[in-house]
Amino acid sequence: MTGTVLNCGYVPLVDCAPLVIAKELGFAAEQGLALNLVQQPSWSALRDMLALGHLDAAQMLSPMPVAMSLGLGSLPADVDTLMVLSVNGTVFGVSNPLAADLEGVSFGDAPALLSALARRKGATLRIGVPFHYSMHRLLLSYWTAAAPEMTVEEVTVPPPRMADAVGEGFVDAFWVGEPWGSVAVQKGVAQLMMTGRDVWQFAPEKVLAARHDWVVENDDLARRLMVAVYQAAAWLDAPKNKPLAVEILGRSAHLSMSTDLIDPAVSGQLVPRPDAPPQTIDRFIQFHNHAANFPWRSQAAWIGHQLGIDAAGIARAKASFRSDLYRRHLGDFGSDMPGASEKVEGSLQVETAVASSRGHLILAPDAFFDGRTFDFSPIE
């Protein structure tokens, strides 16, 4: 490799694609970077590697930088979200025995699924999530709060172990990023019931993060990394590139997955059970379009609110989403910047044109399943 070596941690999921494409297609090299992707076995291992300085940057679950900056969990550190890597891209599935109790519930009907689960009598529902400070868990908590009569136990399971966990009866259901939901279906141990976007239509899933001190000391490196990843994300969301993206990701040693596992997420064609036709999921995962890469501070505030922190903590959470850095490093690179860095989350029912630097920005629907909205702009 030639260029400045930059060690970037990741967990092997389809939504690490912007990092893989930035390396494999040379976007990083064009910025003078030798992007060294360092695979991690779990989110806790990745968190610790970044906090201890063994990584320069990392793919992270969107709540992780907020939680680390607030001192939640082990090894707290001031961590900045430089940009969002992906929006949505997760699935909720249940074991085959549980699926038998849910007959008649349509795929993607979050309210009906919740009602059906709440009507079940008996033991606690054990649901696997990949990490405590994950969007999966926050969406799960937000969704199940609408059925307070349910008893849910959240169990941490690394994504590659999720299919085995449900097959062995360790969990009754799971919320996980692709391809690990599809793996469970292909192994014949589970059925998919909905996607993350059925609870929140535009949830920031993975982010590109770095320690705050590293960002301050390496401003130009951070800029070059952000530009490379931005280019890769834009390439990924061009429809004509999706077949090639699946091929590149499939042959990449960074994922070590067959193309039949990668394609459902990239194409938005999910198979909920072995004998079912594919379900077409509009915007199942977004890497770039509709300002997907922009680190909205209102999204950080929503994350902080779901974590139960106070107003001072909300302000700290918002500051960790570096929309200021994003504007400075990508504003001259052709990115159409929204006029504001916060918005009322959940207020968009349809694609909506908004004020922006180039006047062409259209935001995607971001509604919550219960129709509520969240405005944290007054909270400082």
Side-chain angles (χ1 to χ4, degrees):
M1 294 189 295
T2 59
T4 302
V5 177
L6 204 156
N7 296 312
C8 187
Y10 76 101
V11 171
L13 292 140
V14 173
D15 53 21
C16 74
L19 299 177
V20 175
I21 294 299
K23 177 173 181 173
E24 297 295 325
L25 289 189
F27 293 120
E30 289 174 3
Q31 294 298 319
L33 299 177
L35 189 58
N36 181 32
L37 299 183
V38 186
Q39 182 172 321
Q40 298 298 304
S42 66
W43 293 112
S44 57
L46 182 144
R47 172 200 61 199
D48 296 348
M49 288 284 282
L50 184 71
L52 294 171
H54 300 307
L55 297 170
D56 300 309
Q59 168 207 30
M60 282 191 154
L61 298 155
S62 58
M64 289 175 70
V66 171
M68 293 175 72
S69 297
L70 290 169
L72 303 177
S74 62
L75 289 180
D78 287 333
V79 176
D80 289 347
T81 289
L82 308 182
M83 61 193 297
V84 177
L85 289 176
S86 62
V87 168
N88 301 331
T90 63
V91 294
F92 178 82
V94 300
S95 67
N96 289 335
L98 180 53
D101 293 341
L102 302 173
E103 287 189 20
V105 177
S106 299
F107 180 86
D109 191 337
L113 176 59
L114 184 62
S115 295
L117 289 171
R119 286 195 298 270
R120 294 177 64 253
K121 305 296 182 183
T124 297
L125 191 66
R126 290 171 58 87
I127 302 178
V129 294
F131 194 63
H132 184 71
Y133 298 111
S134 67
M135 182 56 66
H136 314 65
R137 189 190 73 81
L138 299 189
L139 291 177
L140 175 64
S141 297
Y142 180 81
W143 179 56
T144 56
E149 68 274 23
M150 280 180 61
T151 303
V152 173
E153 180 183 352
E154 297 164 352
V155 183
T156 299
V157 180
R161 284 279 305 153
M162 202 65 79
D164 292 337
V166 70
E168 295 164 4
F170 183 62
V171 296
D172 308 301
F174 57 83
W175 206 314
V176 74
E178 279 291 273
W180 301 111
S182 290
V183 168
V185 173
Q186 290 192 15
K187 286 188 173 183
V189 298
Q191 296 184 23
L192 304 183
M193 300 301 298
M194 68 175 181
T195 70
R197 71 178 300 274
D198 293 313
V199 173
W200 186 9
Q201 290 192 41
F202 207 77
E205 175 55 31
K206 302 299 190 306
V207 298
L208 179 63
R211 296 183 318 281
H212 180 74
D213 60 350
W214 184 91
V215 173
V216 171
E217 296 166 8
N218 298 277
D219 184 70
D220 187 60
L221 270 180
R223 178 191 63 80
R224 287 187 274 158
L225 175 62
M226 291 170 69
V227 167
V229 173
Y230 178 89
Q231 291 177 295
W235 186 91
L236 278 163
D237 261 7
K240 67 179 182 179
N241 293 334
K242 292 187 183 296
L244 180 56
V246 172
E247 180 185 333
I248 293 172
L249 294 171
R251 69 170 186 248
S252 167
H254 304 297
L255 283 181
S256 300
M257 298 172 189
S258 62
T259 54
D260 65 317
L261 290 178
I262 297 169
D263 183 74
V266 175
S267 66
Q269 299 281 319
L270 294 183
V271 177
R273 60 181 186 275
D275 59 342
Q279 293 272 345
T280 300
I281 312 297
D282 186 32
R283 296 186 302 276
F284 172 70
I285 187 169
Q286 292 266 262
F287 293 111
H288 175 75
N289 294 342
H290 304 294
N293 300 128
F294 190 78
W296 292 96
R297 289 188 163 171
S298 47
Q299 292 178 340
W302 185 88
I303 289 169
H305 181 74
Q306 291 302 117
L307 292 176
I309 61 180
D310 59 17
I314 293 284
R316 185 79 177 273
K318 290 163 71 171
S320 73
F321 267 45
R322 296 298 304 277
S323 54
D324 58 325
L325 205 65
Y326 187 93
R327 291 180 186 279
R328 178 157 59 86
H329 287 334
L330 294 172
D332 295 332
F333 194 72
S335 179
D336 195 5
M337 297 290 173
S341 296
E342 301 180 32
K343 57 188 174 69
V344 177
E345 298 296 334
S347 64
L348 304 180
Q349 301 294 324
V350 297
E351 291 189 0
T352 304
V354 298
S356 65
S357 58
R358 296 178 181 269
H360 304 295
L361 187 59
I362 297 177
L363 300 184
D366 68 350
F368 293 93
F369 83 102
D370 55 6
R372 297 171 63 188
T373 60
F374 293 84
D375 181 5
F376 293 108
S377 57
I379 300 179
E380 297 294 345

PDB file of all heavy atoms in Angstrom, residues 170-195:
ATOM      1  N   PHE A 170     -31.482 -20.028  22.171  1.00  0.00           N
ATOM      2  CA  PHE A 170     -30.943 -19.078  23.146  1.00  0.00           C
ATOM      3  C   PHE A 170     -31.746 -17.785  23.139  1.00  0.00           C
ATOM      4  O   PHE A 170     -31.891 -17.130  24.178  1.00  0.00           O
ATOM      5  CB  PHE A 170     -29.481 -18.811  22.820  1.00  0.00           C
ATOM      6  CG  PHE A 170     -28.792 -17.912  23.800  1.00  0.00           C
ATOM      7  CD1 PHE A 170     -28.644 -18.274  25.132  1.00  0.00           C
ATOM      8  CD2 PHE A 170     -28.277 -16.685  23.390  1.00  0.00           C
ATOM      9  CE1 PHE A 170     -28.002 -17.440  26.028  1.00  0.00           C
ATOM     10  CE2 PHE A 170     -27.642 -15.843  24.280  1.00  0.00           C
ATOM     11  CZ  PHE A 170     -27.502 -16.223  25.607  1.00  0.00           C
ATOM     12  N   VAL A 171     -32.276 -17.402  21.969  1.00  0.00           N
ATOM     13  CA  VAL A 171     -33.156 -16.244  21.865  1.00  0.00           C
ATOM     14  C   VAL A 171     -34.402 -16.649  21.072  1.00  0.00           C
ATOM     15  O   VAL A 171     -34.364 -17.578  20.267  1.00  0.00           O
ATOM     16  CB  VAL A 171     -32.467 -15.031  21.183  1.00  0.00           C
ATOM     17  CG1 VAL A 171     -31.308 -14.529  22.018  1.00  0.00           C
ATOM     18  CG2 VAL A 171     -32.004 -15.381  19.776  1.00  0.00           C
ATOM     19  N   ASP A 172     -35.508 -15.935  21.313  1.00  0.00           N
ATOM     20  CA  ASP A 172     -36.756 -16.191  20.600  1.00  0.00           C
ATOM     21  C   ASP A 172     -36.874 -15.350  19.337  1.00  0.00           C
ATOM     22  O   ASP A 172     -37.601 -15.699  18.410  1.00  0.00           O
ATOM     23  CB  ASP A 172     -37.954 -15.876  21.501  1.00  0.00           C
ATOM     24  CG  ASP A 172     -37.881 -16.575  22.841  1.00  0.00           C
ATOM     25  OD1 ASP A 172     -37.822 -17.818  22.842  1.00  0.00           O
ATOM     26  OD2 ASP A 172     -37.860 -15.880  23.875  1.00  0.00           O
ATOM     27  N   ALA A 173     -36.176 -14.218  19.324  1.00  0.00           N
ATOM     28  CA  ALA A 173     -36.250 -13.279  18.215  1.00  0.00           C
ATOM     29  C   ALA A 173     -34.944 -12.506  18.172  1.00  0.00           C
ATOM     30  O   ALA A 173     -34.101 -12.631  19.067  1.00  0.00           O
ATOM     31  CB  ALA A 173     -37.445 -12.337  18.385  1.00  0.00           C
ATOM     32  N   PHE A 174     -34.778 -11.690  17.133  1.00  0.00           N
ATOM     33  CA  PHE A 174     -33.531 -10.933  17.004  1.00  0.00           C
ATOM     34  C   PHE A 174     -33.744  -9.693  16.172  1.00  0.00           C
ATOM     35  O   PHE A 174     -34.654  -9.619  15.345  1.00  0.00           O
ATOM     36  CB  PHE A 174     -32.426 -11.790  16.366  1.00  0.00           C
ATOM     37  CG  PHE A 174     -32.801 -12.340  15.011  1.00  0.00           C
ATOM     38  CD1 PHE A 174     -32.660 -11.586  13.851  1.00  0.00           C
ATOM     39  CD2 PHE A 174     -33.296 -13.634  14.898  1.00  0.00           C
ATOM     40  CE1 PHE A 174     -33.013 -12.088  12.607  1.00  0.00           C
ATOM     41  CE2 PHE A 174     -33.650 -14.148  13.659  1.00  0.00           C
ATOM     42  CZ  PHE A 174     -33.518 -13.370  12.510  1.00  0.00           C
ATOM     43  N   TRP A 175     -32.869  -8.722  16.397  1.00  0.00           N
ATOM     44  CA  TRP A 175     -32.792  -7.512  15.580  1.00  0.00           C
ATOM     45  C   TRP A 175     -31.332  -7.384  15.169  1.00  0.00           C
ATOM     46  O   TRP A 175     -30.459  -7.216  16.023  1.00  0.00           O
ATOM     47  CB  TRP A 175     -33.233  -6.291  16.381  1.00  0.00           C
ATOM     48  CG  TRP A 175     -33.773  -5.182  15.517  1.00  0.00           C
ATOM     49  CD1 TRP A 175     -33.234  -4.686  14.367  1.00  0.00           C
ATOM     50  CD2 TRP A 175     -34.982  -4.450  15.725  1.00  0.00           C
ATOM     51  NE1 TRP A 175     -34.027  -3.698  13.841  1.00  0.00           N
ATOM     52  CE2 TRP A 175     -35.105  -3.525  14.658  1.00  0.00           C
ATOM     53  CE3 TRP A 175     -35.966  -4.470  16.708  1.00  0.00           C
ATOM     54  CZ2 TRP A 175     -36.168  -2.641  14.554  1.00  0.00           C
ATOM     55  CZ3 TRP A 175     -37.013  -3.591  16.613  1.00  0.00           C
ATOM     56  CH2 TRP A 175     -37.128  -2.675  15.535  1.00  0.00           C
ATOM     57  N   VAL A 176     -31.049  -7.469  13.866  1.00  0.00           N
ATOM     58  CA  VAL A 176     -29.662  -7.544  13.430  1.00  0.00           C
ATOM     59  C   VAL A 176     -29.503  -6.928  12.054  1.00  0.00           C
ATOM     60  O   VAL A 176     -30.472  -6.801  11.297  1.00  0.00           O
ATOM     61  CB  VAL A 176     -29.184  -9.025  13.423  1.00  0.00           C
ATOM     62  CG1 VAL A 176     -29.783  -9.787  12.244  1.00  0.00           C
ATOM     63  CG2 VAL A 176     -27.670  -9.145  13.426  1.00  0.00           C
ATOM     64  N   GLY A 177     -28.285  -6.523  11.731  1.00  0.00           N
ATOM     65  CA  GLY A 177     -27.978  -6.009  10.410  1.00  0.00           C
ATOM     66  C   GLY A 177     -27.752  -7.140   9.424  1.00  0.00           C
ATOM     67  O   GLY A 177     -27.341  -8.244   9.804  1.00  0.00           O
ATOM     68  N   GLU A 178     -28.018  -6.857   8.167  1.00  0.00           N
ATOM     69  CA  GLU A 178     -27.786  -7.850   7.129  1.00  0.00           C
ATOM     70  C   GLU A 178     -26.288  -8.063   6.917  1.00  0.00           C
ATOM     71  O   GLU A 178     -25.501  -7.125   7.110  1.00  0.00           O
ATOM     72  CB  GLU A 178     -28.453  -7.397   5.829  1.00  0.00           C
ATOM     73  CG  GLU A 178     -29.949  -7.703   5.800  1.00  0.00           C
ATOM     74  CD  GLU A 178     -30.216  -9.192   5.715  1.00  0.00           C
ATOM     75  OE1 GLU A 178     -30.262  -9.731   4.585  1.00  0.00           O
ATOM     76  OE2 GLU A 178     -30.360  -9.832   6.777  1.00  0.00           O
ATOM     77  N   PRO A 179     -25.891  -9.301   6.552  1.00  0.00           N
ATOM     78  CA  PRO A 179     -26.752 -10.382   6.043  1.00  0.00           C
ATOM     79  C   PRO A 179     -27.203 -11.379   7.091  1.00  0.00           C
ATOM     80  O   PRO A 179     -27.741 -12.443   6.758  1.00  0.00           O
ATOM     81  CB  PRO A 179     -25.816 -11.083   5.051  1.00  0.00           C
ATOM     82  CG  PRO A 179     -24.507 -11.053   5.756  1.00  0.00           C
ATOM     83  CD  PRO A 179     -24.451  -9.682   6.414  1.00  0.00           C
ATOM     84  N   TRP A 180     -27.006 -11.053   8.373  1.00  0.00           N
ATOM     85  CA  TRP A 180     -27.169 -12.102   9.384  1.00  0.00           C
ATOM     86  C   TRP A 180     -28.609 -12.501   9.616  1.00  0.00           C
ATOM     87  O   TRP A 180     -28.878 -13.613  10.087  1.00  0.00           O
ATOM     88  CB  TRP A 180     -26.464 -11.670  10.662  1.00  0.00           C
ATOM     89  CG  TRP A 180     -25.019 -11.424  10.383  1.00  0.00           C
ATOM     90  CD1 TRP A 180     -24.364 -10.230  10.386  1.00  0.00           C
ATOM     91  CD2 TRP A 180     -24.037 -12.383   9.968  1.00  0.00           C
ATOM     92  NE1 TRP A 180     -23.045 -10.386  10.019  1.00  0.00           N
ATOM     93  CE2 TRP A 180     -22.817 -11.699   9.754  1.00  0.00           C
ATOM     94  CE3 TRP A 180     -24.087 -13.773   9.757  1.00  0.00           C
ATOM     95  CZ2 TRP A 180     -21.661 -12.354   9.352  1.00  0.00           C
ATOM     96  CZ3 TRP A 180     -22.928 -14.414   9.356  1.00  0.00           C
ATOM     97  CH2 TRP A 180     -21.731 -13.703   9.155  1.00  0.00           C
ATOM     98  N   GLY A 181     -29.584 -11.633   9.261  1.00  0.00           N
ATOM     99  CA  GLY A 181     -30.977 -12.070   9.290  1.00  0.00           C
ATOM    100  C   GLY A 181     -31.260 -13.056   8.167  1.00  0.00           C
ATOM    101  O   GLY A 181     -31.913 -14.097   8.376  1.00  0.00           O
ATOM    102  N   SER A 182     -30.755 -12.752   6.987  1.00  0.00           N
ATOM    103  CA  SER A 182     -30.930 -13.663   5.852  1.00  0.00           C
ATOM    104  C   SER A 182     -30.213 -14.984   6.084  1.00  0.00           C
ATOM    105  O   SER A 182     -30.680 -16.041   5.629  1.00  0.00           O
ATOM    106  CB  SER A 182     -30.408 -13.001   4.566  1.00  0.00           C
ATOM    107  OG  SER A 182     -31.253 -11.927   4.175  1.00  0.00           O
ATOM    108  N   VAL A 183     -29.095 -14.958   6.790  1.00  0.00           N
ATOM    109  CA  VAL A 183     -28.398 -16.203   7.134  1.00  0.00           C
ATOM    110  C   VAL A 183     -29.295 -17.091   7.977  1.00  0.00           C
ATOM    111  O   VAL A 183     -29.388 -18.310   7.763  1.00  0.00           O
ATOM    112  CB  VAL A 183     -27.078 -15.902   7.872  1.00  0.00           C
ATOM    113  CG1 VAL A 183     -26.501 -17.165   8.488  1.00  0.00           C
ATOM    114  CG2 VAL A 183     -26.070 -15.278   6.920  1.00  0.00           C
ATOM    115  N   ALA A 184     -29.991 -16.499   8.939  1.00  0.00           N
ATOM    116  CA  ALA A 184     -30.893 -17.276   9.791  1.00  0.00           C
ATOM    117  C   ALA A 184     -32.028 -17.891   8.979  1.00  0.00           C
ATOM    118  O   ALA A 184     -32.441 -19.030   9.221  1.00  0.00           O
ATOM    119  CB  ALA A 184     -31.456 -16.384  10.906  1.00  0.00           C
ATOM    120  N   VAL A 185     -32.526 -17.140   7.990  1.00  0.00           N
ATOM    121  CA  VAL A 185     -33.579 -17.673   7.115  1.00  0.00           C
ATOM    122  C   VAL A 185     -33.026 -18.804   6.270  1.00  0.00           C
ATOM    123  O   VAL A 185     -33.651 -19.876   6.140  1.00  0.00           O
ATOM    124  CB  VAL A 185     -34.148 -16.554   6.215  1.00  0.00           C
ATOM    125  CG1 VAL A 185     -35.106 -17.137   5.185  1.00  0.00           C
ATOM    126  CG2 VAL A 185     -34.862 -15.507   7.060  1.00  0.00           C
ATOM    127  N   GLN A 186     -31.856 -18.627   5.684  1.00  0.00           N
ATOM    128  CA  GLN A 186     -31.277 -19.651   4.820  1.00  0.00           C
ATOM    129  C   GLN A 186     -30.936 -20.919   5.590  1.00  0.00           C
ATOM    130  O   GLN A 186     -30.976 -22.019   5.038  1.00  0.00           O
ATOM    131  CB  GLN A 186     -30.042 -19.109   4.107  1.00  0.00           C
ATOM    132  CG  GLN A 186     -30.353 -18.062   3.051  1.00  0.00           C
ATOM    133  CD  GLN A 186     -29.157 -17.747   2.165  1.00  0.00           C
ATOM    134  OE1 GLN A 186     -28.183 -18.470   2.141  1.00  0.00           O
ATOM    135  NE2 GLN A 186     -29.248 -16.645   1.418  1.00  0.00           N
ATOM    136  N   LYS A 187     -30.617 -20.770   6.864  1.00  0.00           N
ATOM    137  CA  LYS A 187     -30.358 -21.948   7.697  1.00  0.00           C
ATOM    138  C   LYS A 187     -31.635 -22.630   8.146  1.00  0.00           C
ATOM    139  O   LYS A 187     -31.585 -23.706   8.760  1.00  0.00           O
ATOM    140  CB  LYS A 187     -29.532 -21.550   8.928  1.00  0.00           C
ATOM    141  CG  LYS A 187     -28.075 -21.258   8.615  1.00  0.00           C
ATOM    142  CD  LYS A 187     -27.280 -21.067   9.893  1.00  0.00           C
ATOM    143  CE  LYS A 187     -25.786 -20.943   9.602  1.00  0.00           C
ATOM    144  NZ  LYS A 187     -24.984 -20.827  10.845  1.00  0.00           N
ATOM    145  N   GLY A 188     -32.781 -22.011   7.843  1.00  0.00           N
ATOM    146  CA  GLY A 188     -34.066 -22.616   8.175  1.00  0.00           C
ATOM    147  C   GLY A 188     -34.439 -22.553   9.636  1.00  0.00           C
ATOM    148  O   GLY A 188     -35.240 -23.379  10.108  1.00  0.00           O
ATOM    149  N   VAL A 189     -33.907 -21.564  10.379  1.00  0.00           N
ATOM    150  CA  VAL A 189     -34.183 -21.491  11.813  1.00  0.00           C
ATOM    151  C   VAL A 189     -35.044 -20.298  12.199  1.00  0.00           C
ATOM    152  O   VAL A 189     -35.439 -20.168  13.357  1.00  0.00           O
ATOM    153  CB  VAL A 189     -32.869 -21.449  12.624  1.00  0.00           C
ATOM    154  CG1 VAL A 189     -32.064 -22.716  12.390  1.00  0.00           C
ATOM    155  CG2 VAL A 189     -32.049 -20.210  12.281  1.00  0.00           C
ATOM    156  N   ALA A 190     -35.336 -19.390  11.233  1.00  0.00           N
ATOM    157  CA  ALA A 190     -36.069 -18.173  11.586  1.00  0.00           C
ATOM    158  C   ALA A 190     -36.801 -17.622  10.378  1.00  0.00           C
ATOM    159  O   ALA A 190     -36.561 -18.020   9.239  1.00  0.00           O
ATOM    160  CB  ALA A 190     -35.104 -17.120  12.137  1.00  0.00           C
ATOM    161  N   GLN A 191     -37.699 -16.672  10.680  1.00  0.00           N
ATOM    162  CA  GLN A 191     -38.396 -15.927   9.638  1.00  0.00           C
ATOM    163  C   GLN A 191     -38.249 -14.438   9.932  1.00  0.00           C
ATOM    164  O   GLN A 191     -38.244 -14.030  11.093  1.00  0.00           O
ATOM    165  CB  GLN A 191     -39.881 -16.298   9.585  1.00  0.00           C
ATOM    166  CG  GLN A 191     -40.152 -17.742   9.209  1.00  0.00           C
ATOM    167  CD  GLN A 191     -41.626 -18.050   9.069  1.00  0.00           C
ATOM    168  OE1 GLN A 191     -42.441 -17.156   8.832  1.00  0.00           O
ATOM    169  NE2 GLN A 191     -41.997 -19.315   9.227  1.00  0.00           N
ATOM    170  N   LEU A 192     -38.139 -13.649   8.887  1.00  0.00           N
ATOM    171  CA  LEU A 192     -38.081 -12.203   9.051  1.00  0.00           C
ATOM    172  C   LEU A 192     -39.495 -11.648   9.087  1.00  0.00           C
ATOM    173  O   LEU A 192     -40.350 -12.050   8.297  1.00  0.00           O
ATOM    174  CB  LEU A 192     -37.293 -11.565   7.902  1.00  0.00           C
ATOM    175  CG  LEU A 192     -35.876 -12.081   7.679  1.00  0.00           C
ATOM    176  CD1 LEU A 192     -35.190 -11.309   6.565  1.00  0.00           C
ATOM    177  CD2 LEU A 192     -35.058 -12.028   8.962  1.00  0.00           C
ATOM    178  N   MET A 193     -39.728 -10.695   9.996  1.00  0.00           N
ATOM    179  CA  MET A 193     -41.060 -10.139  10.183  1.00  0.00           C
ATOM    180  C   MET A 193     -41.165  -8.668   9.770  1.00  0.00           C
ATOM    181  O   MET A 193     -42.214  -8.192   9.396  1.00  0.00           O
ATOM    182  CB  MET A 193     -41.497 -10.282  11.641  1.00  0.00           C
ATOM    183  CG  MET A 193     -41.556 -11.718  12.145  1.00  0.00           C
ATOM    184  SD  MET A 193     -42.684 -12.784  11.194  1.00  0.00           S
ATOM    185  CE  MET A 193     -44.255 -11.987  11.467  1.00  0.00           C
ATOM    186  N   MET A 194     -40.055  -7.942   9.861  1.00  0.00           N
ATOM    187  CA  MET A 194     -40.067  -6.530   9.460  1.00  0.00           C
ATOM    188  C   MET A 194     -38.636  -6.038   9.358  1.00  0.00           C
ATOM    189  O   MET A 194     -37.677  -6.750   9.720  1.00  0.00           O
ATOM    190  CB  MET A 194     -40.858  -5.662  10.446  1.00  0.00           C
ATOM    191  CG  MET A 194     -40.234  -5.522  11.812  1.00  0.00           C
ATOM    192  SD  MET A 194     -41.164  -4.361  12.867  1.00  0.00           S
ATOM    193  CE  MET A 194     -40.153  -4.401  14.360  1.00  0.00           C
ATOM    194  N   THR A 195     -38.478  -4.825   8.884  1.00  0.00           N
ATOM    195  CA  THR A 195     -37.164  -4.184   8.834  1.00  0.00           C
ATOM    196  C   THR A 195     -37.136  -3.011   9.806  1.00  0.00           C
ATOM    197  O   THR A 195     -38.178  -2.556  10.287  1.00  0.00           O
ATOM    198  CB  THR A 195     -36.842  -3.679   7.413  1.00  0.00           C
ATOM    199  OG1 THR A 195     -37.696  -2.562   7.113  1.00  0.00           O
ATOM    200  CG2 THR A 195     -37.063  -4.776   6.375  1.00  0.00           C
TER     201      THR A 195
END
